[in-house]
Amino acid sequence: MKIPSRAAASLAELTETFDDPDIDIGRSLGRFADQVRSAVPSYLGVSVEMMTADTQRSVDAMEDSFVPGTIRSSVKIPTSTALGAGPERAGGAQRIALILYAASPGALIDLAADLAWLTSLPLSDFALDQHLTGPESLSGSAAATSVVNQAIGVLLARGRTPEEAEADIDGRAVRTGLTRQVVATAILAETETSLEDP
């Protein structure tokens, strides 16, 4: 599995939060993807979602053959299953989940059932087919990227730094449970409303 350099850097940063020299999230993710690929022939890739009280980040590692719009099956694996430990492993401040994608409908159902059985967690803890649009950053939607970039521009005009603007959008997404695109759209709508008011 080829992990893009930006994703590799984020995984390295995440690895540092564990403060354990034996943990290498990037290497573990690569091995995990190799195992899933051998079990699920239509495997397309994986996203690692990292959420804190203030931010939400996602690192995506998709197969070279991935084409936006081809996802027909997905499963979200909670932290305790993905890493073998609860959120306290990362200091209690960070929650992590893996989202797997496959091209064949139903390809990940057996995997979810097996994980539920192995971990004694209810099958409902594994969100099946709720992420069929794929990773936000790779969905192929130029419009989604444009909306987020416009919202960042609005926040920059309000005096925030690029980092603060990104953090503001991420923070709102985490607090509301909405995607970055929806949050960005709301920021743009707020701006239009304030321009219309006398």
Side-chain angles (χ1 to χ4, degrees):
M1 178 184 70
K2 180 180 170 186
I3 299 177
S5 57
R6 184 175 175 184
S10 293
L11 291 172
E13 182 181 320
L14 175 61
T15 296
E16 290 177 17
T17 66
F18 286 92
D19 197 26
D20 183 337
D22 294 330
I23 293 177
D24 182 337
I25 302 294
R27 186 177 63 225
S28 297
L29 183 63
R31 286 196 310 254
F32 178 77
D34 290 342
Q35 292 170 353
V36 173
R37 190 181 302 108
S38 69
V40 181
S42 66
Y43 169 79
L44 293 174
V46 61
S47 292
V48 181
E49 282 189 351
M50 298 160 279
M51 294 156 282
T52 66
D54 301 323
T55 62
Q56 176 177 338
R57 295 173 60 189
S58 180
V59 176
D60 309 306
M62 305 303 286
E63 297 286 281
D64 291 336
S65 61
F66 171 71
V67 175
T70 60
I71 296 171
R72 299 290 179 266
S73 184
S74 69
V75 63
K76 184 172 183 176
I77 304 170
T79 303
S80 57
T81 306
L83 298 177
E88 66 277 359
R89 183 82 186 254
Q94 196 161 47
R95 291 179 295 143
I96 302 167
L98 299 180
I99 303 173
L100 303 177
Y101 308 100
S104 297
L108 299 168
I109 292 173
D110 288 342
L111 175 63
D114 289 345
L115 288 171
W117 181 78
L118 287 169
T119 60
S120 299
L121 292 173
L123 185 57
S124 59
D125 281 7
F126 300 85
L128 278 166
D129 296 338
Q130 294 181 17
H131 300 86
L132 299 180
T133 57
E136 186 177 312
S137 65
L138 302 174
S139 65
S141 171
T145 303
S146 175
V147 167
V148 172
N149 288 340
Q150 288 176 47
I152 289 171
V154 166
L155 296 174
L156 291 174
R158 293 180 186 168
R160 291 188 178 88
T161 66
E163 295 79 15
E164 290 170 339
E166 288 269 2
D168 188 357
I169 291 171
D170 289 340
R172 290 189 198 195
V174 169
R175 286 190 301 277
T176 61
L178 301 171
T179 66
R180 295 179 81 222
Q181 180 184 0
V182 172
V183 169
T185 301
I187 291 170
L188 296 177
E190 290 168 8
T191 304
E192 289 175 11
T193 302
S194 66
L195 291 175
E196 293 171 0
D197 291 340

